[in-house]
Amino acid sequence: MSTVTKSLKAFSFGGGVQSTAALVLAAQGELDFRTFLMANVGDDSEHPGTLAYLREYAVPYAEAHGLELVVLDRVMKRSGEVRTLYQDLTREGSRSLKIPVRMSNGAPGTRSCTASFKIAVIADELKRRGATKGTPATVGIGISLDEIQRANKRRCEPHERIEYPLLERGIRRIDCARIIRNAGLPVPPKSSCWFCPFHRPETWHDMRRTEPDLFERACQLEELLNRRRDELGKDHVWLTRFNRPLRKAIPGGVDLLPFDDEDAGCDSGWCMT
């Protein structure tokens, strides 16, 4: 008589609108996920609004409905220290650019932030819980129908099978907001690192207007990266596609800017959900 091993199921929780809607649907019995895993790129790296929503609403809601919502840090295997993305970018002597900074032609550079701080962190937890190539875990990704271009099963690891439950049910981002409100929760802000070069220009504009201190920190980070580029004799890089410093690319005192939709955001599905 053969024994069937029940596959582990976990949802990649990004802390934004789509994954919060998935949390609500799971609480209502509409999605077959009881475990939600959030890879935290760092309390100094995640947008403060995302972390505040997580503490005030998402975690208490999950607990009240018998769901497991686990926040995972990136822990260095040799030293055991917790390492954040912002620390990696700013530590003395660092030459790595793990975020998709814009090069002189406006194109995003090579990035490893998603792989190192999202995919690998969740992968380690799945493996710790028993996921293997022979018994892969089912991982839910919070991509909605209006972002179908972000679905990319080619990034599936051997120990996992990727599912897109919102996409499969024809749920759009606007539907996600309605699902969250109907559950009595406020709609969370869009999740991302506050310094992510995949921000749309209007996101930067809103940050400069409503979160000037955070915008200033982003400007200072860009300046730090370029001082190091100067020392290495390399071209400058930017946090927007406009080939100029963030302070000049996103002018202050402007209520509405005629930006287009060229910036599509992170295409992995592990971020900005």
Side-chain angles (χ1 to χ4, degrees), residues 38-203:
M38 178 178 179
N40 178 17
V41 297
D43 288 354
D44 59 359
S45 307
E46 295 277 2
H47 192 283
T50 298
L51 295 173
Y53 189 94
L54 180 71
R55 292 190 301 267
E56 294 174 24
Y57 299 105
V59 170
Y61 182 85
E63 291 176 349
H65 292 84
L67 300 175
E68 183 185 23
L69 175 52
V70 181
V71 180
L72 305 166
D73 296 318
R74 186 189 181 207
V75 179
M76 306 305 293
K77 292 181 178 177
R78 289 189 177 181
S79 64
E81 69 169 312
V82 173
R83 178 75 60 81
T84 74
L85 180 53
Y86 185 75
Q87 286 173 340
D88 259 8
L89 292 171
T90 59
R91 62 189 173 89
E92 188 174 354
S94 174
R95 296 187 177 187
S96 64
L97 288 175
K98 294 185 175 180
I99 59 176
V101 289
R102 300 294 181 136
M103 311 309 288
S104 57
N105 62 359
T110 302
R111 75 181 192 270
S112 62
C113 49
T114 301
S116 298
F117 285 87
K118 293 288 186 179
I119 297 175
V121 171
I122 290 180
D124 287 345
E125 180 65 12
L126 294 174
K127 291 174 182 176
R128 188 187 70 80
R129 292 175 179 239
T132 65
K133 184 177 180 180
T135 56
T138 299
V139 181
I141 302 293
I143 291 178
S144 50
L145 184 60
D146 46 328
E147 296 184 340
I148 190 172
Q149 72 279 1
R150 298 178 67 194
N152 188 346
K153 291 191 176 182
R154 288 176 299 174
R155 301 187 182 212
C156 186
E157 301 295 323
H159 62 275
E160 66 186 17
R161 291 193 303 264
I162 300 296
E163 286 187 358
Y164 301 96
L166 302 181
L167 183 61
E168 292 163 0
R169 288 162 175 77
I171 295 174
R172 298 177 178 273
R173 185 179 177 86
I174 192 171
D175 301 318
C176 292
R178 174 181 51 79
I179 290 167
I180 294 167
R181 290 193 188 98
N182 287 346
L185 296 171
V187 177
K190 188 170 184 177
S191 63
S192 64
C193 296
W194 51 268
F195 47 79
C196 181
F198 278 141
H199 282 328
R200 294 179 184 274
E202 57 264 34
T203 300

Side-chain angles (χ1 to χ4, degrees), residues 152-263:
N152 188 346
K153 291 191 176 182
R154 288 176 299 174
R155 301 187 182 212
C156 186
E157 301 295 323
H159 62 275
E160 66 186 17
R161 291 193 303 264
I162 300 296
E163 286 187 358
Y164 301 96
L166 302 181
L167 183 61
E168 292 163 0
R169 288 162 175 77
I171 295 174
R172 298 177 178 273
R173 185 179 177 86
I174 192 171
D175 301 318
C176 292
R178 174 181 51 79
I179 290 167
I180 294 167
R181 290 193 188 98
N182 287 346
L185 296 171
V187 177
K190 188 170 184 177
S191 63
S192 64
C193 296
W194 51 268
F195 47 79
C196 181
F198 278 141
H199 282 328
R200 294 179 184 274
E202 57 264 34
T203 300
W204 285 119
H205 174 65
D206 288 345
M207 185 187 294
R208 180 162 196 166
R209 180 171 55 87
T210 63
E211 300 173 292
D213 292 345
L214 203 59
F215 183 83
E216 175 61 24
R217 289 185 64 196
C219 292
Q220 292 176 3
L221 174 62
E222 184 184 67
E223 291 163 359
L224 171 63
L225 297 180
N226 282 322
R227 285 197 298 273
R228 291 177 175 173
R229 301 281 290 183
D230 288 338
E231 294 170 359
L232 297 171
K234 294 184 177 182
D235 292 342
H236 281 193
V237 295
W238 315 106
L239 295 182
T240 72
R241 68 173 188 267
F242 301 119
N243 197 24
R244 50 184 166 164
L246 184 58
R247 297 182 197 279
K248 296 181 179 179
I250 307 298
V254 178
D255 291 331
L256 182 63
L257 299 179
F259 294 129
D260 56 43
D261 291 330
E262 182 178 327
D263 292 292

